[in-house]
């Protein structure tokens, strides 16, 4: 049986995937969107309820249709799931879900040939693939000596529900990013905490202007252009003080310590040789890009990353990664969708099959 064919298969219907779908539709290409989730919202479906719209890190409007009015008190998981659902409906996107992509491979040795997308619902044949699978499904857990001996609870931010479950326990938070400081702020209101990072955090007093933001993204772009594993944009930009975080600092929640040397059954061994007792270790150590299904294409280079030219994989122009590296930020994800579609239109054999659709 021949596989269903499409000009482009988009894998993932989070912000980057929906942005790509908008531009594919607008340019009249034949495409399918496959999403592993049970419903709209991408990774936002799984965020903890205490993460509200007042504190999320700069959600950008999806292209073409303005974001509705925001109640800053509403949980981001609820608002963004509804926003993405309504966006799909207004554009008439027929997102296929739940569909788990197991692999993407080349159908033959022709560099201008087609790609085979194998999934839990059968195969699709595509002239190009836009991968927008994000990072949420691949939480990164560092490894420390003695980690398996810890008698308390260890969890990653991907498993976090609320601060109240830690009341009366001493909680260690490991990580130097936005999630780490946000959760320290929450948890320190109900119990005692300690904060550990590998490097001294860099703080800023104000949001970035356009030039500073551009320069930070350019540093991440340079890494992926060289085929090195991408760093997060916040690792370049630093952390921004907010009134809430200043209050957390005033109560001692942001007194950072250098990361411990080992984990023991009842706590951790400090860098200075001392011992700190703890009941919980919360790993706010980030995520890695979910790209295992692309392994048959052998995209990774000697540097451990994937060499990129914009959104395009340098060694495989039929594959675009959006929500990867510099486009992992919300604003970057929107721009990446447009850039990927523009590049795909230059591939041999790609011809728009419908009139351009104008939105806004």
């Amino acid at each position: 049986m021949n596989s269903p064919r499409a000009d482009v298969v988009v894998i993932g219907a989070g912000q980057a995937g929906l942005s790509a779908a908008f531009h594919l539709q607008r340019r009249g290409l034949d495409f399918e969107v496959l999403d592993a989730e049970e419903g709209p919202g991408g990774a936002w479906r799984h965020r903890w309820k205490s993460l509200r719209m007042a504190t999320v890190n700069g959600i950008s409007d999806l292209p073409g249709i303005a974001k509705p009015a925001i109640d800053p008190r509403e949980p981001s998981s609820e608002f963004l799931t509804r926003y993405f659902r309504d966006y799909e409906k207004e554009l008439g996107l027929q997102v296929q879900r739940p569909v788990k992509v197991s692999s993407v491979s080349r159908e033959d040795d022709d560099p201008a040939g087609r790609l085979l997308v194998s999934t839990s619902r059968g195969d699709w044949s595509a002239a190009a693939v836009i991968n927008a699978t994000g990072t949420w499904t691949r939480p990164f857990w560092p490894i420390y000596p003695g980690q398996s001996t810890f008698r308390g609870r260890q969890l990653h931010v991907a498993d976090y529900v609320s601060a109240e479950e830690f009341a009366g326990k001493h909680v260690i938070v490991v990580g130097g990013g936005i999630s780490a400081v946000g959760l320290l702020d929450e948890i320190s209101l109900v119990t005692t905490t300690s904060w550990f990072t590998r490097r001294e955090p860099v703080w800023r007093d104000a949001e970035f202007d356009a030039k500073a933001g551009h320069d930070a993204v350019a540093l991440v772009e340079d890494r992926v252009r060289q085929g090195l594993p991408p760093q997060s944009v916040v690792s370049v930009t630093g952390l921004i003080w907010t009134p809430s975080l200043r209050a957390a600092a005033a109560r001692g929640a942001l007194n950072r310590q250098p990361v411990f040397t080992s984990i023991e059954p009842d706590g951790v061994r400090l860098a200075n040789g001392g011992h700190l007792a703890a009941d919980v270790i919360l790993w706010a150590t980030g995520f890695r890009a979910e790209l295992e299904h692309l392994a048959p294409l052998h995209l990774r280079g000697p540097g451990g990353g994937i060499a990129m030219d914009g959104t395009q994989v340098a060694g495989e122009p039929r594959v675009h990664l959006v929500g990867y590296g510099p486009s992992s930020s919300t604003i970057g994800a929107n721009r990446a969708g447009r850039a990927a579609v523009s590049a795909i239109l230059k591939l041999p054999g790609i011809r728009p099959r419908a009139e351009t659709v104008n939105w806004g």
Side-chain angles (χ1 to χ4, degrees):
M1 181 183 295
N2 293 330
S3 304
R5 294 167 68 89
D7 289 333
V8 183
V9 168
V10 180
I11 306 174
Q15 182 165 355
L18 291 180
S19 171
F22 168 84
H23 291 290
L24 287 165
Q25 185 184 76
R26 184 172 180 272
R27 302 299 290 269
L29 292 174
D30 174 38
F31 66 97
E32 292 281 356
V33 183
L34 313 179
D35 188 49
E37 296 290 344
E38 294 289 335
W44 290 104
R45 291 167 56 86
H46 307 291
R47 300 295 176 116
W48 49 96
K49 294 295 185 182
S50 58
L51 183 62
R52 300 185 183 277
M53 291 304 295
T55 56
V56 295
N57 188 35
I59 297 303
S60 184
D61 290 353
L62 286 163
I65 301 172
K67 183 170 56 187
I70 294 173
D71 177 354
R73 300 165 297 177
E74 185 176 9
S76 58
S77 59
E78 295 178 8
F79 174 86
L80 289 161
T81 295
R82 185 174 67 253
Y83 175 38
F84 285 15
R85 180 199 66 210
D86 292 348
Y87 187 84
E88 290 180 17
K89 183 177 180 180
E90 187 155 353
L91 263 63
L93 299 177
Q94 301 298 315
V95 178
Q96 305 280 341
R97 58 167 61 97
V99 178
K100 174 66 176 175
V101 175
S102 56
S103 68
V104 178
S105 56
R106 299 177 180 93
E107 291 191 0
D108 52 43
D109 295 330
D110 182 357
R114 300 183 69 82
L115 300 170
L116 184 68
V117 182
S118 299
T119 84
S120 57
R121 289 200 194 172
D123 299 339
W124 273 265
S125 175
V129 165
I130 297 178
N131 191 81
T133 45
T135 62
W136 184 258
T137 54
R138 288 201 67 200
F140 174 65
W141 292 72
I143 298 174
Y144 283 88
Q147 195 163 359
S148 64
T149 70
F150 185 61
R151 291 194 295 261
R153 181 184 177 192
Q154 295 186 64
L155 72 159
H156 193 275
V157 294
D159 305 308
Y160 179 83
V161 177
S162 70
E164 285 67 30
E165 62 183 308
F166 305 123
K169 303 178 184 296
H170 186 74
V171 180
I172 285 174
V173 177
V174 186
I178 294 169
S179 293
V181 295
L183 294 180
L184 278 162
D185 178 17
E186 283 188 23
I187 298 169
S188 64
L189 291 170
V190 301
T191 194
T192 58
T193 60
S194 297
W195 183 27
F196 293 88
T197 69
R198 287 192 298 118
R199 292 183 294 272
E200 185 74 38
V202 175
W203 291 91
R204 296 177 63 93
D205 288 321
E207 294 280 355
F208 287 93
D209 59 22
K211 182 180 185 304
H214 176 273
D215 292 346
V217 170
L219 290 173
V220 181
E221 284 180 335
D222 186 57
R223 283 185 62 86
V224 297
R225 194 177 297 113
Q226 297 177 57
L228 298 173
Q231 293 176 321
S232 66
V233 174
V234 76
S235 71
V236 178
T237 61
L239 299 164
I240 297 173
W241 284 114
T242 65
S244 179
L245 291 179
R246 289 196 183 279
R251 60 178 178 268
L254 300 184
N255 293 336
R256 172 262 178 190
Q257 301 181 59
V259 75
F260 40 81
T261 58
S262 64
I263 300 174
E264 300 180 359
D266 60 347
V268 296
R269 185 60 54 183
L270 302 175
N272 64 9
H275 177 268
L276 175 67
D279 304 292
V280 178
I281 301 175
L282 174 56
W283 298 98
T285 44
F287 298 79
R288 297 293 182 264
E290 178 53 85
L291 302 175
E292 294 305 303
H293 52 288
L294 302 181
L297 300 175
H298 303 290
L299 303 179
R300 292 194 183 276
I306 299 174
M308 301 292 297
D309 180 7
T311 63
Q312 192 173 59
V313 174
E316 179 47 271
R318 293 171 290 184
V319 177
H320 287 256
L321 307 182
V322 296
Y324 176 82
S327 66
S328 61
S329 67
T330 53
I331 294 175
N334 280 351
R335 294 172 178 169
R338 181 175 184 173
V341 174
S342 294
I344 285 170
L345 283 165
K346 299 175 184 177
L347 291 175
I350 294 290
R351 297 289 183 271
R353 302 184 185 184
E355 296 296 324
T356 296
V357 179
N358 291 310
W359 293 93

